[in-house]
Amino acid sequence: MTAPVFVADSLAGAAPGATLTLDGPEGRHAVAVRRLRVGEEIVLTDGAGTGAFGTVAAVEGRERLEVAVAEVRVEPEPEPRITVVQALPKGDRGELAVETMTETGVDAIVPWSAARCVTQWRGERGAKALRKWRTTAREAGKQSRRLRFPEVAEPASTRQLLPLLASASFAAVLHEEGSRPLAAAELPERGELVIVVGPEGGIAPEELEVFAGAGARPYRLGPSVLRTSTAGTAAAALLLGRTGRWS
């Protein structure tokens, strides 16, 4: 069985031969839900690139266990970094998009309040939706055994996206009328690649114009038009393959 991954509040002192404690909600899940026992393999991560690999040394009560560390791994920052600007979908499709992009390997996700988004995040409803996206990224990161979870940024308006697009090494807006295929785009080896995914109603012409002014040109992904909840995942997979991060 593949060793399950849990998030530790801190990996301070993690080193081969050391013992770490997992408690709280993560410890409860490990003991009461996964029913881990002494001797079973386990991975603890801080979600920021560090992982402690070891075995369960002791189980205490229903929400605490001790982990004997055998190895510590530190993953470097990925190059190039891939960020997806995701327009807000309807219903739970936003969490679906975050889940699959996390499993695929996206490094950052920016919720975007596009002009044609049916859903708009305001007040407590918006704060709750953002928490769901961040929780989804965390759980998907654990499920896919990532040591570095994607950052889910604060929601941004079209204007607030411009500094991100202008500073990117490569910025593309997925659009069915794009004259250039993303599969043939010239990509940098380093820096940040930013992909903008529009809402179900499409990206407004004025948004395309503003993005172009910041250096983000329209690219087509393929012959079919994907839903907003799947386009980011497909684009990220293409970029991960082309940049060698999947090699």
Side-chain angles (χ1 to χ4, degrees):
M1 183 183 72
T2 303
V5 177
F6 296 90
V7 179
D9 292 334
S10 173
L11 290 181
T19 300
L20 300 177
T21 299
L22 182 68
D23 54 15
E26 289 288 278
R28 186 180 310 114
H29 185 74
V31 175
V33 180
R34 295 299 299 264
R35 299 184 181 277
L36 295 185
R37 298 294 180 258
V38 172
E40 292 191 84
E41 293 185 346
I42 186 174
V43 179
L44 303 184
T45 182
D46 59 2
T50 300
F53 295 70
T55 56
V56 178
V59 176
E60 303 174 6
R62 292 184 58 81
E63 59 178 53
R64 179 186 176 96
L65 51 77
E66 303 294 325
V67 177
V69 179
E71 178 187 4
V72 176
R73 301 177 193 171
V74 179
E75 290 186 353
E77 289 278 358
E79 284 284 359
R81 176 181 166 91
I82 297 176
T83 295
V84 175
V85 174
Q86 174 65 60
L88 305 179
K90 295 181 291 185
D92 61 359
R93 287 191 171 273
E95 287 127 76
L96 173 64
V98 171
E99 179 180 56
T100 55
M101 286 192 288
T102 299
E103 292 171 352
T104 303
V106 165
D107 303 300
I109 301 167
V110 182
W112 171 35
S113 298
R116 294 178 177 174
C117 283
V118 174
T119 298
Q120 294 292 335
W121 288 0
R122 296 186 179 91
E124 179 53 35
R125 178 184 177 185
K128 181 179 179 181
L130 180 59
R131 287 195 297 270
K132 284 186 177 181
W133 279 35
R134 288 174 171 168
T135 298
T136 299
R138 172 186 167 113
E139 294 305 311
K142 289 162 55 179
Q143 178 66 33
S144 54
R145 299 179 57 75
R146 291 181 61 169
L147 299 184
R148 190 180 296 277
F149 300 164
E151 170 195 356
V152 179
E154 292 289 325
S157 66
T158 298
R159 291 289 176 184
Q160 289 170 332
L161 291 176
L162 300 187
L164 171 67
L165 299 177
S167 64
S169 301
F170 173 81
V173 181
L174 299 185
H175 198 275
E176 65 270 20
E177 296 180 3
S179 60
R180 290 159 287 193
L182 186 62
E186 185 175 345
L187 302 176
E189 295 182 358
R190 297 186 176 277
E192 185 168 26
L193 314 183
V194 179
I195 299 295
V196 178
V197 179
E200 299 289 0
I203 299 175
E206 55 271 23
E207 290 172 328
L208 286 173
E209 184 177 350
V210 169
F211 290 156
R217 304 295 179 180
Y219 286 82
R220 66 179 184 274
L221 189 55
S224 59
V225 178
L226 302 182
R227 299 197 70 159
T228 185
S229 54
T230 55
T233 299
L238 175 63
L239 296 181
L240 287 162
R242 291 197 57 214
T243 57
R245 282 184 51 181
W246 270 6
S247 61

